[in-house]
C-alpha cells in the first residue's frame, strides 16, 4: 500500500511525458516534411515584403504598374525600377535620355519599336529582350509597333561608379534564341544567369539573374540564388506559394522582396498556370543619387549630367539635332 502511495505521489510531481514527447516528434516530422520541400537549401529565402504594383501613368499616355521604384520599395540594390507597361497607339515613350544604368525590356505581348540618336533602330516582339547599357548617355524613343495594347516588363539595373560613363551598348535576344529548360511541369526561360543547368549567353556588367518561370498546376521549382545577392519576384499571372509551404499564396502584379538565403522554393497549388519572373543581382553598395532618368553617385554628378544634356556634350553630342521618326 505504501509503495502504491509513493507511485501515485511521484506521478503527481512528475507527470508522464509520453504525450508531450509524441507531440514533439510530430512537430519535428512536420518541420522535416517542410524542409524536405526546399531541396538542397541550407537557408531557404523567404518573402520579407509583398507590394502590389498599382497602375500609374508614364511617358505619353502609357500606363505602368511600378513594383520597384515607388515609395514602398524605392530601390533594391542593384535594381532601381521594375515596370509592367501597357501602351496602345498613339501612346508611348517618346524621346527621352538615360545615363548611369541599364534598361532591360522584355516583351510579354505585342511589339515595341526603339530608336536612338546614334542611329540604332529595331523592333522587339513578343518574347524578345533588349538589354541596353545607357552608360554615359543615350537619348531614345520606345513606341508601340502594332494596334492594341503592347505589354512588357522594363527593369532598370544600376551601374557601378567605374561603369557609369562607359560607351552605350546593346544586347538583343530574339525569343527563339532565349535558352529554355523544363523539369516536372516547371519551365524556365533563362534571360540572364543560370537555371536547371542551362546558362544564358547575356553578359551582365552588374552580375544579374533574370528568369521567367511557368509552372503547371501542382508543379514546384527550387532555384539556387547566390547568397550575397538581393532578389525579388514579380508575379505575372496565376498564384503561387513562395518561400515556404505554409506561406499564403501571392497573386498577379505583386512584387515579393526576398530575404537572405541560398535559394527560393515555389509551389503552384492552384488549378491554373503560374508565371513569374525571378530577378536577383549582386549589390553595388554605393551611394545612389537619382534625378529622373539620370542615376549617379553624387549631387555634383547629377548637376553635371543635367548640364551635359542641356548643352549636348560629354556623351550627348548627337542629341543637338536628333529627333525620332
Amino acid at each position: 500500500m505504501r509503495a502504491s502511495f509513493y507511485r501515485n505521489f511521484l506521478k503527481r510531481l512528475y507527470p508522464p511525458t509520453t504525450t508531450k514527447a509524441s507531440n514533439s516528434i510530430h512537430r519535428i516530422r512536420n518541420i522535416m516534411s517542410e524542409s524536405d520541400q526546399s531541396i538542397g537549401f541550407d537557408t531557404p529565402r523567404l518573402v520579407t515584403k509583398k507590394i502590389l504594383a498599382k497602375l500609374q501613368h508614364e511617358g505619353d499616355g502609357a500606363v505602368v504598374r511600378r513594383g520597384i521604384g515607388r515609395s514602398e520599395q524605392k530601390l533594391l540594390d542593384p535594381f532601381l525600377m521594375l515596370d509592367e507597361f501597357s501602351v496602345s497607339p498613339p501612346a508611348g515613350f517618346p524621346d527621352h535620355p538615360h545615363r548611369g544604368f541599364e534598361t532591360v525590356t522584355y516583351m510579354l505581348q505585342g511589339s515595341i519599336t526603339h530608336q536612338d540618336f546614334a542611329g540604332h533602330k529595331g523592333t522587339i516582339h513578343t518574347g524578345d529582350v533588349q538589354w541596353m547599357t545607357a552608360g554615359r548617355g543615350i537619348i531614345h524613343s520606345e513606341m508601340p509597333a502594332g494596334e492594341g495594347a503592347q505589354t512588357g516588363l522594363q527593369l532598370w539595373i544600376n551601374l557601378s561608379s567605374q561603369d557609369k560613363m562607359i560607351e552605350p551598348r546593346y544586347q538583343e535576344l530574339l525569343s527563339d534564341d532565349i535558352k529554355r529548360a523544363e523539369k516536372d511541369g516547371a519551365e524556365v526561360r533563362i534571360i540572364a544567369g543560370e537555371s536547371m543547368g542551362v546558362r544564358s549567353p547575356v553578359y551582365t556588367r552588374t552580375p544579374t539573374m533574370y528568369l521567367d518561370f511557368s509552372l503547371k498546376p501542382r508543379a514546384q521549382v527550387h532555384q539556387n540564388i547566390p547568397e550575397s545577392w538581393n532578389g525579388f519576384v514579380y508575379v505575372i499571372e496565376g498564384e503561387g506559394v513562395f518561400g515556404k509551404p505554409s506561406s499564403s499564396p501571392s497573386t498577379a502584379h505583386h512584387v515579393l522582396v526576398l530575404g537572405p538565403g541560398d535559394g527560393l522554393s515555389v509551389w503552384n497549388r492552384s488549378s491554373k498556370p503560374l508565371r513569374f519572373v525571378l530577378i536577383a543581382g549582386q549589390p553595388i553598395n554605393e551611394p545612389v543619387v537619382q534625378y529622373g532618368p539620370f542615376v549617379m553617385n553624387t549631387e555634383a554628378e547629377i548637376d553635371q549630367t543635367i548640364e551635359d544634356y542641356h548643352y549636348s556634350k560629354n556623351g550627348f553630342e548627337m542629341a543637338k539635332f536628333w529627333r525620332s521618326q
Side-chain angles (χ1 to χ4, degrees):
M1 184 173 181
R2 183 173 292 180
S4 175
F5 170 80
Y6 278 112
R7 278 198 295 269
N8 291 332
F9 177 72
L10 290 171
K11 282 181 182 179
R12 287 197 297 270
L13 282 179
Y14 306 103
T17 59
T18 306
T19 302
K20 288 187 177 180
S22 62
N23 286 342
S24 297
I25 292 170
H26 180 66
R27 285 197 297 271
I28 290 169
R29 283 173 178 164
N30 282 345
I31 292 168
M32 288 177 65
S33 66
E34 286 191 4
S35 63
D36 284 346
Q37 296 181 72
S38 300
I39 299 170
F41 301 142
D42 293 330
T43 312
R45 287 190 180 235
L46 305 181
V47 176
T48 60
K49 186 186 291 186
K50 182 187 293 189
I51 305 161
L52 177 61
K54 298 177 182 178
L55 292 171
Q56 64 185 64
H57 292 279
E58 292 291 331
D60 185 3
V63 176
V64 305
R65 290 182 180 270
R66 181 158 297 167
I68 303 291
R70 49 186 296 160
S71 58
E72 296 92 331
Q73 188 69 46
K74 193 63 181 173
L75 55 82
L76 185 65
D77 190 9
F79 306 111
L80 305 163
M81 189 191 81
L82 178 75
D83 280 354
E84 180 181 2
F85 61 83
S86 178
V87 290
S88 301
F93 304 95
D95 305 3
H96 59 280
H98 293 297
R99 174 182 277 183
F101 62 99
E102 299 181 302
T103 68
V104 183
T105 306
Y106 181 32
M107 291 304 300
L108 301 177
Q109 186 65 47
S111 305
I112 289 286
T113 294
H114 161 275
Q115 53 184 303
D116 70 24
F117 67 178
H120 184 276
K121 184 176 181 178
T123 299
I124 54 175
H125 304 277
T126 301
D128 295 350
V129 174
Q130 181 198 72
W131 199 294
M132 182 184 81
T133 303
R136 66 200 304 256
I138 279 285
I139 297 178
H140 72 160
S141 65
E142 299 157 294
M143 302 298 289
E147 296 300 319
Q150 320 294 305
T151 62
L153 301 176
Q154 186 166 96
L155 175 71
W156 289 12
I157 308 174
N158 199 13
L159 289 171
S160 67
S161 55
Q162 66 181 12
D163 290 332
K164 285 189 176 295
M165 295 297 285
I166 62 175
E167 291 296 324
R169 66 179 297 228
Y170 292 91
Q171 297 177 85
E172 294 183 331
L173 287 84
L174 298 178
S175 179
D176 289 343
D177 295 332
I178 294 175
K179 293 185 179 295
R180 295 170 170 81
E182 190 274 334
K183 183 180 180 181
D184 300 331
E187 181 180 356
V188 60
R189 306 183 87 230
I190 305 148
I191 296 168
E194 183 177 344
S195 183
M196 299 185 191
V198 179
R199 174 168 289 276
S200 166
V202 167
Y203 171 68
T204 57
R205 190 170 293 275
T206 301
T208 302
M209 167 188 291
Y210 194 142
L211 306 174
D212 176 5
F213 283 100
S214 296
L215 271 62
K216 294 178 180 178
R218 306 305 170 188
Q220 59 183 274
V221 70
H222 307 274
Q223 173 63 44
N224 291 301
I225 303 170
E227 289 194 60
S228 62
W229 289 17
N230 289 329
F232 68 95
V233 163
Y234 184 72
V235 184
I236 298 172
E237 63 176 313
E239 68 173 39
V241 175
F242 295 83
K244 60 181 180 179
S246 59
S247 297
S248 58
S250 297
T251 56
H253 312 306
H254 279 90
V255 165
L256 312 177
V257 179
L258 303 176
D262 57 348
L264 174 68
S265 295
V266 184
W267 297 267
N268 180 8
R269 293 177 175 160
S270 73
S271 59
K272 297 180 180 179
L274 166 67
R275 186 181 183 188
F276 65 93
V277 291
L278 169 60
I279 297 172
Q282 181 176 305
I284 295 172
N285 296 318
E286 292 181 352
V288 175
V289 180
Q290 181 172 356
Y291 182 81
F294 305 138
V295 183
M296 304 300 287
N297 296 106
T298 67
E299 293 286 354
E301 290 171 341
I302 289 292
D303 292 342
Q304 183 63 57
T305 299
I306 294 170
E307 180 180 314
D308 292 345
Y309 176 58
H310 181 74
Y311 290 105
S312 300
K313 62 179 186 178
N314 293 332
F316 290 110
E317 288 83 357
M318 289 180 283
K320 194 168 187 178
F321 304 106
W322 180 82
R323 298 291 182 276
S324 62
Q325 301 298 313

